Amino acid sequence: MSIIKLLLKEIEQEAQTTRNLLSIVPNDKYNWQPHPKSMSVMKLTNHIAELPGWLTMAVTTDGLDFAANPYEPTFFSNTADVLEVFENQLADGRANLEAMSETELEKPWILRSGDYVLSAMTKYETIRMTLAQTIHHRAQLGVYLRLLNIPIPGSYGPSADELEEMKHYA
């Protein structure tokens, strides 16, 4: 199987897990944050929803300069809008990755702020970093939801909530 097909398979698997978690965020919890230094639920869910857009950037550009292109996040305070952003970014990222050639994966991609280089990776490594960031922030959201006493779905197997529910049927 080609590297691009393997990446697309992994992206879809992670997208389903992300979709499952984003879909259970209650609309009345978007302003909640667990600590003053932590992101609010709104900032975190919106960031997670925008992350698949980095797939498109990795594939269609040679990098991103924050000094020349300041980051302007979106802020939606309801689950339906967050999911729509996620699905649109994901569809665009997948389409661009599907159109890419394997040799392009080896090309460099630089993240910078002016002259300060934040990271220098290949396009492949940038795609993998995007997946890692999604998984990382999704785990943060899982902790937030747990602190809010909201049962969470499993990621790579059943969650404690799902195992507890299974015991009732055993």
Side-chain angles (χ1 to χ4, degrees), residues 5-15 128 131:
K5 285 187 179 178
L6 289 169
L7 285 169
L8 288 165
K9 180 179 178 184
E10 185 177 8
I11 288 165
E12 187 49 45
Q13 289 168 335
E14 294 303 332
R128 289 289 307 128
L131 281 166

Side-chain angles (χ1 to χ4, degrees), residues 2-13 52-61 88-106 122-131:
S2 75
I3 292 172
I4 289 175
K5 285 187 179 178
L6 289 169
L7 285 169
L8 288 165
K9 180 179 178 184
E10 185 177 8
I11 288 165
E12 187 49 45
Q13 289 168 335
W54 283 73
L55 297 170
T56 296
M57 277 195 291
V59 171
T60 63
T61 70
N88 289 338
Q89 295 288 329
L90 181 62
D92 191 53
R94 276 193 308 237
N96 281 290
L97 183 56
E98 287 171 349
M100 181 182 206
S101 72
E102 299 249 339
T103 57
E104 291 177 74
L105 289 172
E106 299 170 17
T122 64
K123 290 182 178 226
Y124 170 80
E125 291 167 323
T126 303
I127 292 165
R128 289 289 307 128
M129 182 270 305
T130 299
L131 281 166

Side-chain angles (χ1 to χ4, degrees), residues 157-170:
S159 70
D161 297 306
E162 292 169 332
L163 288 173
E164 187 176 302
E165 186 67 24
M166 285 180 207
K167 288 180 185 176
H168 294 344
Y169 295 106

Side-chain angles (χ1 to χ4, degrees), residues 116-157:
Y116 183 73
V117 174
L118 298 158
S119 67
M121 299 180 274
T122 64
K123 290 182 178 226
Y124 170 80
E125 291 167 323
T126 303
I127 292 165
R128 289 289 307 128
M129 182 270 305
T130 299
L131 281 166
Q133 283 291 302
T134 301
I135 294 163
H136 163 74
H137 289 300
R138 188 179 69 215
Q140 280 183 292
L141 181 58
V143 171
Y144 282 28
L145 295 175
R146 174 70 72 222
L147 291 171
L148 290 166
N149 203 29
I150 297 166
I152 59 172
S155 292
Y156 303 107

